[in-house]
Each structure stands twice: as C-alpha cells, then as structure tokens.
Amino acid sequence: MSTIEHKKALAEARALEVPSRELSLRRDPSVSQFWNENRKVLEAAWAEWEIENKDDLLVPDETLLDPRLRKAIKDAWENPEKESAVADLWEEIIPGVYVVQFFDLDRLADFRNYLEAVANSGVPKRAPYGIQLNRYGMMLDPRSEGHLAAPNFQAFYNDMMDRFMRPIARLLLGTYGYDNQTFGFSIQYNPDKDKDLHAHTDASAATLNININLPDEKFTGSEVDFYDKASGKTVQAIFEPGKAIIHSGNVPHATHPITSGQRSNLVVWLYGDRMQIPRGSNSSYGNISNSDTIKDVALESVTARQRWSLADGPKDTAAPF
C-alpha cells in the first residue's frame, strides 16, 4: 500500500462512525460486522499513524521492563538451566498466584505517554465488551476485532508474550501444552465508570495482570481478592505501579470497588488451541499436596529447554470476547 493510500486510510478511519456504546454492550451483530468490514482500513491507518508520528512516538520494547526481570529472562533464554533466577523474583501469594515488579518505574511514564498518544490518535479502537468505553479500554491481540494494530506495539506485545509471559507461566504455573494462543486487553477502573469486577475465573491457562499507574497516581479501593480452593483462604492483593500478578486462570478472584482515583492495567492471557485450558484443582497437575507448591511441581514436569522455547503451531482466531 502506498503512502498516499495509507494517508487516505488514516483519514478514512478517523471519519468512521463507530457503533454506539449501547450496541457494543449488548454485542449487537452490527458491531462485529463494523469491525470486520473495516479491519484492513484500521490496520493501514495504524501503520500510517506510526509513520506520521515517528519523530515523537516511543517505540515500545523490552527496555520498558524491570531491569532485574529482563536480565534474568535474557540469561534463561541463553541457558535455561538458569531459570531459577527468574522464579526467585516472583513472590508467591497463594498457590498459583505470584507478584513481581514488571515495568521499570523509570520508564513507565514513557509507556503511558505512548498510550495517551494512542488514545488521542483518532483511530477507532474496540473496548472490551461489558465495560465503559474509557480511554485505556482497548483490545491488544490481532485475534480481536478493533485491536491496537500499530506495528511497533504489536512487535512489543508479541515479544512480551513469547519471550516473557509464556516461559514464566510454564515455570511458575506449569502451563506447557496449554499456552500456544494469546489474548490481551487494557482496562481502567474509575469510581464513576468501571468500578469493580465480581468473583470469577478466567478462560485462560494463565493470566498476567500488569498495573500501569504512575507512582504519583494514587487510588483507593480496587483491591483484588484471590481464593485458594485448597485451603479455603482468601488473600487480598493491592496493585502497585508497574507491578504484575500472574495466576492460573482457574483461581477465583474478584476486584473490590475503586473509591477514588483511577487504576489502569494491561491484562494478557495464554491458553491452548481452540481455547483449551488445563483441568484440575489449582493447576494442570490436579491436586497438589500441602508440602508442594505449583512452582515445585511445574519445575519437575517438563524440561527447562521445553519451557524456554517458542510456541508450536500457528495462531488461531478464537477469541474469548
């Protein structure tokens, strides 16, 4: 596609009449039709938007991530036998739930500025179904209609999923064999819009939930409860800037109402072909004794080299929502 055609696509995309919030919330067939009919125009528009703003726009890459995590991941890809250094960075909350500093706080403002530029681009984006159409609500994965198709963002997203999330999920949660496919979206909690999320499990083998609040962006409420089915205990987690929680999709969790401020997060999933996920109590290994953790069992189940490998097979088109 020529530069002139790209610019024509950018103008055409900005002129599109996006389906109403009401139609989107009830998933009217016309909404899916709109995004599918305009997919090529939107993808061309995002490419032109990047070219048009190349002098001012961040190119997202792995340098946005926490330096300790980034180094441990790099070392493990070079020598999978060093993977324990990756596991050691994650704090276990309950079996199947871990937390780590994921984004570098010194770079988080750069990433947020990028997302602001995305929000101000004028290119239509589809928000996750069932939420208000807030500034940071958008689909991230190419399998999703109306996703953020900017080429540089997609390169970063794929790198984050392939080189970071998938081997970490295999290491901590034992997802090997159920993690070929990816899915992702962003969301923002606000007291007057999307306030909370009732108790639920995810249709994923693994979920990585990353907070992208800046250090001075305070909020109250919005705690996340995780329920340990084995012990019957509920553990409460509070998101901090740049921190991520990874958990098995079948761990029940709920978000308390946010009472002030805003909380912005990226949420990414892994699951198998045709949306297959592990079956079992808290992991793909069925019941785990009290003396074991999921991390211990996962480490014994497949080789380190298998964990630190790219997914087999092509991407499919099934999307949870």
Side-chain angles (χ1 to χ4, degrees), residues 1-10 40-41 43-45 47-48 51:
M1 186 177 287
S2 70
T3 302
I4 292 175
E5 288 172 320
H6 268 306
K7 289 189 175 180
K8 181 180 177 183
L10 184 57
K40 289 186 177 179
V41 169
E43 289 177 349
E48 177 56 31
I51 294 170

Side-chain angles (χ1 to χ4, degrees), residues 20 31-32 45 73 91 124 133 137 218 241 302 316:
S20 68
V31 176
S32 181
I73 292 281
E91 176 189 356
L133 305 187
K218 307 298 183 183
V302 296
D316 63 28

Side-chain angles (χ1 to χ4, degrees), residues 250-266:
N250 61 4
V251 175
H253 53 289
T255 302
H256 288 246
I258 189 168
T259 51
S260 71
Q262 295 177 332
R263 174 163 75 81
S264 302
N265 281 60
L266 304 182

Side-chain angles (χ1 to χ4, degrees), residues 144-164:
S144 299
E145 302 161 347
H147 72 291
L148 174 54
N152 286 336
F153 177 83
Q154 283 300 311
F156 168 66
Y157 172 79
N158 289 325
D159 196 48
M160 182 172 71
M161 301 299 279
D162 290 341
R163 293 186 53 79
F164 282 74

